[in-house]
Amino acid sequence: MINHEIFFKGLKSNLGVRSPTISLAACFVALGALLKDAGFNLQQSAASSIFTYALPGQLVMAESLLIGTSLINIFIAVWLVNFRLYPMTVSLFPLLAHKSQPRWKYLLSCHFLAVSSWLVAKESYEKVEQKYRIDFWIGVGVGTWSTAIISTVIGYLLADYLNKDIMIGLAIVNPVYFFCMMIGAMKNISISISVIGGTILGPVIYLYSTEWAILYAGIIAGSFAFLFGEKNGK
């Protein structure tokens, strides 16, 4: 069973000053309004956040449906967009593993993986005993997941009162928050190189390749930072 005390500790961690919950909510409010404009009903919009829970993937799904893309192509596109979650899984779940915990907890909690929940867990997991970290993570994930669902419904209901500029403003809150968190995480030379390098390379590559700028900037800066860290033992 889940340790309720640790679970609620994880749930409450979404309320801290450094928590991404507010920025996450803002983005999903914008998503809810966008889904309504795209022709989705309330149930479909809520189901999108319940079963997908990945903002970029949900946007790809909505846009693909609008232009009449086949289901197999939508599946592949969403899968490719959400592949970014794989490195987060590899880096997080070994920190949560404990032989006394049943496998179903890990399988269930994979659904809660997102940049927002990953940030909360990575910042707080060391404060939790190894045995109960998976319960803490489930609390974190349920908090962010519930926020996304509720915010999607709110955005759908408020769609008629949100103009395009407001929706763009809400949607950009989360990326700004993540960027600020990355700056705050610059505690060694490798991380600093990856953040600064990606920030510089992104706009430069954008001038030559609009569609691939973010991917190329991340790969180049991240690879260079990794190699530098390996060479210098950091």
Side-chain angles (χ1 to χ4, degrees), residues 130-183:
Q130 179 82 37
K131 180 180 179 180
Y132 299 111
R133 286 178 183 173
I134 185 62
D135 297 327
F136 177 80
W137 161 249
I138 293 174
V140 172
V142 167
T144 53
W145 180 57
S146 301
T147 299
I149 297 169
I150 294 171
S151 299
T152 301
V153 173
I154 292 174
Y156 185 94
L157 297 175
L158 294 178
D160 294 336
Y161 305 98
L162 302 176
N163 60 36
K164 182 178 180 181
D165 292 335
I166 293 177
M167 290 174 60
I168 292 174
L170 289 171
I172 205 172
V173 170
N174 223 25
V176 171
Y177 170 82
F178 292 145
F179 183 69
C180 292
M181 286 295 291
M182 287 190 291
I183 293 176

Side-chain angles (χ1 to χ4, degrees), residues 14-37:
N14 290 292
L15 302 176
V17 176
R18 293 172 59 85
S19 170
T21 305
I22 295 177
S23 59
L24 178 74
C27 286
F28 275 88
V29 166
L31 174 68
L34 176 65
L35 291 175
K36 183 175 183 179
D37 289 342

Side-chain angles (χ1 to χ4, degrees), residues 18 115 118-119 174-188 191-192 194-196 198-199:
R18 293 172 59 85
V115 178
W118 182 84
L119 283 171
N174 223 25
V176 171
Y177 170 82
F178 292 145
F179 183 69
C180 292
M181 286 295 291
M182 287 190 291
I183 293 176
M186 292 167 56
K187 299 177 181 178
N188 60 54
I191 297 177
S192 299
S194 63
V195 173
I196 295 173
T199 302

